[in-house]
């Protein structure tokens, strides 16, 4: 992971090497026990990573494993972080990278300040962002929705659906919203209420952990499914029958959205069927993109799960080749 290219060889490389890793995540969920010699090895790994400005995240530790690691010198601190599961570690690493490398939150805060001073139609701007991401040309076709929508403002940490009984569609003008799921529950199909929560799932019972041991963090676990910004429409799935509960939408920074309630949507169908048809066409396309992306992710997940575990970390050269191939396949979108 940390190999360096000898001086003078950079010009002969077909593609630039992948950057040095900033975070190393080690999942300990399936580990039942370790001895002090293994704990010493972990301490050496952490020291190596720290010398290369890389933090180590350990996930899925039981209290007994954590105690053994602490005896070997592995303690929670600046160099090392402990997380309840892999998803929590990945989310934190992603947040840190986005903030340190791209300044995503800072950029969205600047956008929010600019939009608050603007006097043009906020919905039209939200539609422009959809066009930028999906090239649908909906700005002019759906501009007539403005008189059917109302503005919704969220403060940081607000839940979008706390008081929204008539959900409908939400067009994001500015801000960032995290879609979180409770890992302690799965979904099961119900003939009356669509998908309902199943509190007897394997995740709720913590089937992979020993019954006599509990993870050091809280029992209720959440993971972020997606981060939504301008260009997304919240509610395209909720509007579909039997797909109502997709998680909690929590504002990461102050947000402003434009809300088209289901009752107003029914009014739109009667007042302007052509506009309603254009809206449903856009929703269908966005849902299709979501399904296509999910299928691609499932294929990747299947390859990962079915492949044999590597005996050593992927080198920077191999990682650069994978990234280059991915850019070629996706048309240089990443």
């Amino acid at each position: 992971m940390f190999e360096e290219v000898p001086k003078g060889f950079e010009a002969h490389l077909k593609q630039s090497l992948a950057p040095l890793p900033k975070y190393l995540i080690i999942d300990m969920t399936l580990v039942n026990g370790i001895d002090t010699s293994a704990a010493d090895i972990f301490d050496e790994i952490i020291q190596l990573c720290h010398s290369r400005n890389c933090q180590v995240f350990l996930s899925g530790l039981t209290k007994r494993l954590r105690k053994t690691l602490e005896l070997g010198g592995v303690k929670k601190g600046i160099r090392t972080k402990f997380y309840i599961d892999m998803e929590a570690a990945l989310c934190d690493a992603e947040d840190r990278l986005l903030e340190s490398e791209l300044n995503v939150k800072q950029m969205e805060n600047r956008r929010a300040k600019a939009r608050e001073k603007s006097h043009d139609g906020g919905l039209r701007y939200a539609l422009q962002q959809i066009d930028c991401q999906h090239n649908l040309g909906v700005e002019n076709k759906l501009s007539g929705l403005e008189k059917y929508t109302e503005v919704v403002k969220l403060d940081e940490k607000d839940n979008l659906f706390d008081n929204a009984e008539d959900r409908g569609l939400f067009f994001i003008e500015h801000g960032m919203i995290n879609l979180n799921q409770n890992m302690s529950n799965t979904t099961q199909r119900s003939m009356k209420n669509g998908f309902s929560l199943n509190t007897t799932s394997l995740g709720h019972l913590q089937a992979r952990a020993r019954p006599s041991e509990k993870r050091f963090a809280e029992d209720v676990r959440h993971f972020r499914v997606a981060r939504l910004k301008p260009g997304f429409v919240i509610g395209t799935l909720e509007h579909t029958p039997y797909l109502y509960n997709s998680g909690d939408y929590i504002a990461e920074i102050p947000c402003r959205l434009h809300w088209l309630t289901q009752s107003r949507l029914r009014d739109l169908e009667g007042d302007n069927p052509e506009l309603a048809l254009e809206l449903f066409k856009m929703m269908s396309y966005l849902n299709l993109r979501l399904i296509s992306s999910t299928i691609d992710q499932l294929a990747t997940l299947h390859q990962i799960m079915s492949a044999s575990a590597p005996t050593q970390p992927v080198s920077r050269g191999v990682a650069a080749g994978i990234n280059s191939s991915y850019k070629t396949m996706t048309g240089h979108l990443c």
Side-chain angles (χ1 to χ4, degrees):
M1 297 189 299
F2 300 112
E3 66 269 17
E4 297 287 351
V5 179
K7 292 184 178 180
F9 281 82
E10 293 88 347
H12 301 285
L13 296 175
K14 293 183 178 179
Q15 61 267 336
S16 301
L17 285 180
L20 290 172
K22 293 183 178 294
Y23 304 98
L24 173 63
I25 302 175
I26 303 176
D27 186 22
M28 305 287 287
T29 304
L30 299 180
V31 178
N32 293 322
I34 59 175
D35 54 20
T36 54
S37 61
D40 291 338
I41 295 176
F42 272 99
D43 187 48
E44 293 178 6
I45 293 173
I46 292 172
Q47 291 182 18
L48 172 63
C49 292
H50 182 64
S51 66
R52 301 303 181 94
N53 197 27
C54 175
Q55 287 186 289
V56 177
F57 292 173
L58 298 176
S59 65
L61 287 171
T62 61
K63 290 182 178 180
R64 186 175 58 146
L65 287 176
R66 184 175 180 179
K67 184 176 181 180
T68 304
L69 288 173
E70 288 176 347
L71 291 174
V74 180
K75 298 181 180 180
K76 182 178 180 180
I78 298 177
R79 295 184 298 174
T80 311
K81 303 291 183 182
F82 296 154
Y83 297 87
I84 186 173
D85 50 38
M86 175 70 80
E87 286 77 11
L90 286 171
C91 283
D92 192 23
E94 180 186 68
D95 289 340
R96 291 167 181 258
L97 283 173
L98 289 174
E99 190 60 30
S100 62
E101 300 297 322
L102 300 178
N103 296 321
V104 174
K105 188 178 292 188
Q106 184 178 354
M107 291 172 59
E108 284 302 319
N109 281 324
R110 287 201 298 264
R111 188 210 299 260
K113 292 180 181 179
R115 292 306 307 163
E116 291 293 343
K117 297 178 181 179
S118 177
H119 299 289
D120 61 345
L123 177 63
R124 181 176 285 274
Y125 178 81
L127 295 175
Q128 287 177 1
Q129 299 308 303
I130 295 175
D131 284 343
C132 288
Q133 292 199 27
H134 303 285
N135 195 26
L136 293 178
V138 297
E139 178 187 353
N140 295 324
K141 295 178 182 178
L142 299 181
S143 59
L145 291 176
E146 191 160 6
K147 65 178 182 180
Y148 294 92
T149 60
E150 55 185 276
V151 174
V152 174
K153 293 185 177 181
L154 299 178
D155 294 326
E156 187 175 352
K157 304 301 182 183
D158 281 354
N159 190 333
L160 176 61
F161 291 145
D162 268 346
N163 300 313
E165 296 180 359
D166 186 4
R167 293 196 173 188
L169 304 176
F170 294 84
F171 299 83
I172 304 175
E173 180 182 350
H174 67 72
M176 287 196 304
I177 298 177
N178 290 334
L179 171 56
N180 300 326
Q181 277 280 12
N182 188 339
M183 287 188 62
S184 298
N185 299 291
T186 58
T187 53
Q188 63 181 9
R189 191 177 294 276
S190 170
M191 295 304 293
K192 292 183 179 180
N193 299 318
F195 284 90
S196 61
L197 292 177
N198 175 16
T199 56
T200 59
S201 67
L202 292 178
H204 179 73
L205 296 176
Q206 293 186 333
R208 294 187 295 177
R210 289 188 175 185
S212 60
E213 294 182 328
K214 291 184 178 179
R215 301 294 164 181
F216 65 87
E218 64 275 9
D219 181 57
V220 178
R221 299 178 294 169
H222 294 83
F223 72 99
R224 185 177 63 238
V225 179
R227 175 186 281 114
L228 309 178
K229 299 193 301 180
F232 289 85
V233 180
I234 299 175
T236 52
L237 286 180
E238 284 79 0
H239 180 76
T240 307
Y242 308 115
L243 285 176
Y244 191 79
N245 187 0
S246 61
D248 296 323
Y249 292 86
I250 309 298
E252 188 169 341
I253 60 175
C255 306
R256 185 163 66 186
L257 307 94
H258 298 265
W259 183 20
L260 175 62
T261 66
Q262 291 189 6
S263 57
R264 293 294 287 164
L265 182 55
R266 287 191 289 270
D267 294 339
L268 173 64
E269 293 173 355
D271 298 342
N272 194 336
E274 184 177 352
L275 181 59
L277 179 60
E278 292 293 340
L279 175 62
F280 285 125
K281 286 167 61 178
M282 182 202 70
M283 291 168 53
S284 299
Y285 177 83
L286 295 181
N287 282 330
L288 181 60
R289 285 287 301 269
L290 176 62
I291 294 172
S292 176
S293 176
T294 303
I295 292 174
D296 291 341
Q297 293 172 6
L298 289 174
T300 302
L301 178 62
H302 178 267
Q303 291 179 356
I304 295 173
M305 297 299 292
S306 59
S308 58
T311 57
Q312 59 184 5
V314 176
S315 67
R316 295 174 64 197
V318 173
I322 294 173
N323 188 47
S324 176
S325 299
Y326 181 76
K327 286 184 177 180
T328 302
M329 289 188 298
T330 57
H332 302 276
L333 292 177
C334 60

